Short mmCIF file of all heavy atoms in Angstrom, two decimals:
data_model
loop_
_atom_site.label_atom_id
_atom_site.label_comp_id
_atom_site.label_asym_id
_atom_site.label_seq_id
_atom_site.Cartn_x
_atom_site.Cartn_y
_atom_site.Cartn_z
N THR K 23 -5.17 -26.94 11.66
CA THR K 23 -5.85 -27.41 10.45
C THR K 23 -6.11 -26.23 9.52
O THR K 23 -6.06 -25.08 9.94
CB THR K 23 -7.17 -28.13 10.80
OG1 THR K 23 -7.67 -28.77 9.63
CG2 THR K 23 -8.20 -27.19 11.35
N THR K 24 -6.38 -26.55 8.26
CA THR K 24 -6.70 -25.52 7.27
C THR K 24 -8.01 -25.90 6.58
O THR K 24 -8.36 -27.07 6.48
CB THR K 24 -5.60 -25.39 6.19
OG1 THR K 24 -5.48 -26.63 5.50
CG2 THR K 24 -4.27 -25.03 6.81
N VAL K 25 -8.71 -24.87 6.11
CA VAL K 25 -9.95 -25.07 5.36
C VAL K 25 -9.83 -24.24 4.08
O VAL K 25 -9.57 -23.04 4.14
CB VAL K 25 -11.19 -24.63 6.16
CG1 VAL K 25 -12.46 -24.82 5.35
CG2 VAL K 25 -11.27 -25.35 7.50
N ASP K 26 -10.01 -24.87 2.93
CA ASP K 26 -9.97 -24.18 1.65
C ASP K 26 -11.29 -23.43 1.48
O ASP K 26 -12.36 -24.04 1.45
CB ASP K 26 -9.77 -25.19 0.52
CG ASP K 26 -9.55 -24.52 -0.83
OD1 ASP K 26 -10.10 -23.42 -1.06
OD2 ASP K 26 -8.83 -25.10 -1.67
N CYS K 27 -11.20 -22.12 1.35
CA CYS K 27 -12.40 -21.28 1.21
C CYS K 27 -12.42 -20.56 -0.14
O CYS K 27 -12.80 -19.40 -0.22
CB CYS K 27 -12.49 -20.28 2.35
SG CYS K 27 -12.60 -21.02 3.97
N GLY K 28 -11.95 -21.21 -1.17
CA GLY K 28 -11.94 -20.59 -2.49
C GLY K 28 -10.73 -19.68 -2.66
O GLY K 28 -9.61 -20.15 -2.78
N SER K 29 -10.95 -18.37 -2.62
CA SER K 29 -9.85 -17.42 -2.81
C SER K 29 -8.98 -17.30 -1.56
O SER K 29 -7.88 -16.75 -1.63
CB SER K 29 -10.39 -16.05 -3.18
OG SER K 29 -11.20 -15.54 -2.13
N HIS K 30 -9.46 -17.80 -0.42
CA HIS K 30 -8.74 -17.69 0.85
C HIS K 30 -8.56 -19.07 1.48
O HIS K 30 -9.27 -20.01 1.15
CB HIS K 30 -9.52 -16.80 1.82
CG HIS K 30 -9.50 -15.36 1.47
ND1 HIS K 30 -10.08 -14.86 0.33
CD2 HIS K 30 -8.95 -14.30 2.11
CE1 HIS K 30 -9.90 -13.55 0.29
NE2 HIS K 30 -9.23 -13.19 1.35
N THR K 31 -7.63 -19.13 2.41
CA THR K 31 -7.49 -20.30 3.27
C THR K 31 -7.78 -19.87 4.70
O THR K 31 -7.29 -18.83 5.16
CB THR K 31 -6.07 -20.89 3.19
OG1 THR K 31 -5.83 -21.33 1.85
CG2 THR K 31 -5.90 -22.07 4.14
N LEU K 32 -8.58 -20.65 5.38
CA LEU K 32 -8.85 -20.43 6.79
C LEU K 32 -7.86 -21.29 7.58
O LEU K 32 -7.84 -22.51 7.42
CB LEU K 32 -10.29 -20.82 7.13
CG LEU K 32 -10.72 -20.62 8.57
CD1 LEU K 32 -10.82 -19.14 8.90
CD2 LEU K 32 -12.05 -21.31 8.82
N PHE K 33 -7.03 -20.63 8.37
CA PHE K 33 -6.07 -21.33 9.22
C PHE K 33 -6.62 -21.35 10.64
O PHE K 33 -6.93 -20.30 11.20
CB PHE K 33 -4.72 -20.62 9.22
CG PHE K 33 -4.00 -20.64 7.90
CD1 PHE K 33 -4.05 -19.55 7.05
CD2 PHE K 33 -3.26 -21.75 7.51
CE1 PHE K 33 -3.39 -19.56 5.84
CE2 PHE K 33 -2.59 -21.77 6.30
CZ PHE K 33 -2.66 -20.67 5.45
N ILE K 34 -6.73 -22.53 11.23
CA ILE K 34 -7.13 -22.66 12.63
C ILE K 34 -5.87 -23.04 13.39
O ILE K 34 -5.16 -23.98 13.01
CB ILE K 34 -8.24 -23.69 12.80
CG1 ILE K 34 -9.48 -23.21 12.03
CG2 ILE K 34 -8.55 -23.94 14.27
CD1 ILE K 34 -10.59 -24.19 11.94
N ALA K 35 -5.56 -22.27 14.43
CA ALA K 35 -4.26 -22.41 15.09
C ALA K 35 -4.38 -22.37 16.60
O ALA K 35 -5.26 -21.72 17.16
CB ALA K 35 -3.32 -21.29 14.62
N GLU K 36 -3.45 -23.08 17.22
CA GLU K 36 -3.29 -23.00 18.68
C GLU K 36 -2.39 -21.81 18.97
O GLU K 36 -1.40 -21.58 18.29
CB GLU K 36 -2.65 -24.28 19.19
CG GLU K 36 -2.58 -24.33 20.70
CD GLU K 36 -2.14 -25.70 21.19
OE1 GLU K 36 -2.34 -26.70 20.46
OE2 GLU K 36 -1.60 -25.75 22.30
N VAL K 37 -2.76 -21.03 19.98
CA VAL K 37 -1.94 -19.87 20.36
C VAL K 37 -0.79 -20.38 21.23
O VAL K 37 -1.02 -21.00 22.28
CB VAL K 37 -2.77 -18.82 21.12
CG1 VAL K 37 -1.90 -17.68 21.60
CG2 VAL K 37 -3.89 -18.31 20.23
N THR K 38 0.43 -20.12 20.80
CA THR K 38 1.61 -20.56 21.55
C THR K 38 2.16 -19.44 22.42
O THR K 38 2.90 -19.71 23.35
CB THR K 38 2.70 -21.06 20.60
OG1 THR K 38 3.02 -20.03 19.66
CG2 THR K 38 2.24 -22.30 19.85
N GLU K 39 1.80 -18.21 22.09
CA GLU K 39 2.22 -17.07 22.91
C GLU K 39 1.25 -15.92 22.70
O GLU K 39 0.78 -15.69 21.59
CB GLU K 39 3.63 -16.61 22.56
CG GLU K 39 4.08 -15.45 23.43
CD GLU K 39 5.54 -15.09 23.24
OE1 GLU K 39 6.28 -15.83 22.60
OE2 GLU K 39 5.92 -14.03 23.76
N ALA K 40 0.94 -15.20 23.77
CA ALA K 40 0.11 -13.99 23.71
C ALA K 40 0.72 -13.00 24.68
O ALA K 40 0.77 -13.26 25.87
CB ALA K 40 -1.33 -14.31 24.08
N GLN K 41 1.18 -11.89 24.13
CA GLN K 41 1.93 -10.92 24.94
C GLN K 41 1.39 -9.51 24.73
O GLN K 41 1.20 -9.08 23.59
CB GLN K 41 3.39 -11.00 24.51
CG GLN K 41 4.32 -10.06 25.19
CD GLN K 41 5.74 -10.23 24.65
OE1 GLN K 41 6.18 -11.33 24.37
NE2 GLN K 41 6.44 -9.15 24.50
N VAL K 42 1.14 -8.79 25.81
CA VAL K 42 0.73 -7.39 25.74
C VAL K 42 1.99 -6.54 25.64
O VAL K 42 2.93 -6.71 26.41
CB VAL K 42 -0.09 -6.99 26.99
CG1 VAL K 42 -0.38 -5.50 26.99
CG2 VAL K 42 -1.38 -7.79 27.04
N LEU K 43 2.01 -5.60 24.68
CA LEU K 43 3.17 -4.74 24.48
C LEU K 43 2.93 -3.31 24.97
O LEU K 43 3.89 -2.61 25.28
CB LEU K 43 3.55 -4.70 22.99
CG LEU K 43 3.85 -6.05 22.35
CD1 LEU K 43 4.08 -5.90 20.86
CD2 LEU K 43 5.05 -6.71 23.02
N SER K 44 1.68 -2.87 25.00
CA SER K 44 1.38 -1.52 25.48
C SER K 44 -0.06 -1.44 25.94
O SER K 44 -0.86 -2.34 25.66
CB SER K 44 1.63 -0.48 24.38
OG SER K 44 0.55 -0.46 23.46
N ASN K 45 -0.40 -0.35 26.58
CA ASN K 45 -1.77 -0.12 27.02
C ASN K 45 -2.57 0.67 26.00
O ASN K 45 -3.71 1.06 26.27
CB ASN K 45 -1.78 0.62 28.37
CG ASN K 45 -1.29 -0.27 29.50
OD1 ASN K 45 -1.55 -1.47 29.50
ND2 ASN K 45 -0.58 0.30 30.44
N ASP K 46 -2.00 0.95 24.85
CA ASP K 46 -2.69 1.71 23.82
C ASP K 46 -3.92 0.96 23.33
O ASP K 46 -3.96 -0.27 23.33
CB ASP K 46 -1.76 1.97 22.62
CG ASP K 46 -0.57 2.83 23.00
OD1 ASP K 46 -0.66 3.57 23.99
OD2 ASP K 46 0.46 2.74 22.30
N ARG K 47 -4.92 1.72 22.89
CA ARG K 47 -6.15 1.11 22.37
C ARG K 47 -5.90 0.47 21.01
O ARG K 47 -5.08 0.95 20.23
CB ARG K 47 -7.24 2.17 22.26
CG ARG K 47 -7.70 2.65 23.61
CD ARG K 47 -8.54 3.90 23.57
NE ARG K 47 -9.41 3.99 22.43
CZ ARG K 47 -10.68 4.35 22.48
NH1 ARG K 47 -11.23 4.64 23.64
NH2 ARG K 47 -11.40 4.46 21.39
N SER K 48 -6.62 -0.60 20.73
CA SER K 48 -6.48 -1.29 19.45
C SER K 48 -7.13 -0.48 18.33
O SER K 48 -8.12 0.21 18.53
CB SER K 48 -7.15 -2.66 19.51
OG SER K 48 -6.49 -3.49 20.45
N MET K 49 -6.55 -0.61 17.14
CA MET K 49 -7.07 0.05 15.94
C MET K 49 -8.31 -0.69 15.47
O MET K 49 -8.26 -1.88 15.18
CB MET K 49 -6.00 0.03 14.86
CG MET K 49 -6.46 0.53 13.50
SD MET K 49 -6.43 2.31 13.30
CE MET K 49 -4.68 2.66 13.35
N THR K 50 -9.43 0.01 15.39
CA THR K 50 -10.64 -0.55 14.81
C THR K 50 -10.76 -0.06 13.37
O THR K 50 -10.11 0.92 12.99
CB THR K 50 -11.89 -0.12 15.58
OG1 THR K 50 -12.01 1.31 15.49
CG2 THR K 50 -11.83 -0.54 17.05
N TYR K 51 -11.60 -0.72 12.59
CA TYR K 51 -11.82 -0.26 11.22
C TYR K 51 -12.38 1.15 11.22
O TYR K 51 -12.01 1.99 10.41
CB TYR K 51 -12.78 -1.20 10.48
CG TYR K 51 -12.13 -1.87 9.30
CD1 TYR K 51 -12.20 -3.23 9.14
CD2 TYR K 51 -11.45 -1.13 8.35
CE1 TYR K 51 -11.60 -3.86 8.07
CE2 TYR K 51 -10.85 -1.75 7.27
CZ TYR K 51 -10.93 -3.11 7.13
OH TYR K 51 -10.33 -3.72 6.07
N GLN K 52 -13.29 1.43 12.13
CA GLN K 52 -13.89 2.77 12.19
C GLN K 52 -12.83 3.82 12.47
O GLN K 52 -12.80 4.88 11.83
CB GLN K 52 -14.99 2.83 13.26
CG GLN K 52 -15.81 4.10 13.19
CD GLN K 52 -16.55 4.22 11.87
OE1 GLN K 52 -17.25 3.28 11.45
NE2 GLN K 52 -16.42 5.34 11.19
N TYR K 53 -11.92 3.54 13.41
CA TYR K 53 -10.86 4.49 13.72
C TYR K 53 -9.95 4.68 12.50
O TYR K 53 -9.54 5.79 12.18
CB TYR K 53 -10.04 4.02 14.92
CG TYR K 53 -9.07 5.06 15.41
CD1 TYR K 53 -9.45 5.99 16.38
CD2 TYR K 53 -7.78 5.14 14.89
CE1 TYR K 53 -8.57 6.97 16.81
CE2 TYR K 53 -6.89 6.11 15.32
CZ TYR K 53 -7.29 7.02 16.28
OH TYR K 53 -6.42 8.00 16.69
N TYR K 54 -9.65 3.57 11.81
CA TYR K 54 -8.82 3.65 10.61
C TYR K 54 -9.46 4.56 9.56
O TYR K 54 -8.81 5.45 9.02
CB TYR K 54 -8.62 2.25 10.04
CG TYR K 54 -8.00 2.23 8.65
CD1 TYR K 54 -6.64 2.49 8.48
CD2 TYR K 54 -8.77 1.96 7.53
CE1 TYR K 54 -6.07 2.47 7.21
CE2 TYR K 54 -8.21 1.94 6.27
CZ TYR K 54 -6.87 2.20 6.11
OH TYR K 54 -6.31 2.21 4.85
N PHE K 55 -10.75 4.36 9.28
CA PHE K 55 -11.42 5.17 8.27
C PHE K 55 -11.55 6.63 8.69
O PHE K 55 -11.42 7.53 7.86
CB PHE K 55 -12.80 4.59 7.94
CG PHE K 55 -12.74 3.39 7.05
CD1 PHE K 55 -13.23 2.17 7.47
CD2 PHE K 55 -12.18 3.46 5.78
CE1 PHE K 55 -13.16 1.06 6.65
CE2 PHE K 55 -12.11 2.36 4.95
CZ PHE K 55 -12.61 1.15 5.38
N ASP K 56 -11.80 6.88 9.97
CA ASP K 56 -12.01 8.25 10.43
C ASP K 56 -10.72 9.04 10.63
O ASP K 56 -10.71 10.26 10.44
CB ASP K 56 -12.77 8.25 11.76
CG ASP K 56 -14.21 7.77 11.61
OD1 ASP K 56 -14.70 7.71 10.46
OD2 ASP K 56 -14.83 7.45 12.64
N ASN K 57 -9.62 8.36 11.01
CA ASN K 57 -8.44 9.10 11.45
C ASN K 57 -7.13 8.78 10.72
O ASN K 57 -6.18 9.55 10.81
CB ASN K 57 -8.21 8.85 12.95
CG ASN K 57 -9.39 9.28 13.77
OD1 ASN K 57 -9.65 10.45 13.92
ND2 ASN K 57 -10.14 8.31 14.27
N VAL K 58 -7.05 7.64 10.04
CA VAL K 58 -5.77 7.22 9.46
C VAL K 58 -5.81 7.25 7.93
O VAL K 58 -4.91 7.80 7.30
CB VAL K 58 -5.38 5.81 9.95
CG1 VAL K 58 -4.08 5.36 9.33
CG2 VAL K 58 -5.29 5.79 11.48
#
């Protein structure tokens, strides 16, 4: 389903696949601002 949120659309979705590709840590906003 979708929800109209003005400038954005909220998409609600069923996950059909979830796959791990590496053991690396995920990028957080804080890491992005501090290091990237």
Side-chain angles (χ1 to χ4, degrees):
T23 190
T24 61
V25 179
D26 187 328
C27 299
S29 62
H30 288 65
T31 297
L32 181 69
F33 293 99
I34 298 172
E36 186 171 335
V37 176
T38 56
E39 181 172 350
Q41 178 181 322
V42 174
L43 303 175
S44 79
N45 290 325
D46 297 337
R47 291 167 35 135
S48 296
M49 173 83 68
T50 63
Y51 243 129
Q52 191 62 51
Y53 189 90
Y54 169 75
F55 283 119
D56 292 346
N57 301 289
V58 179

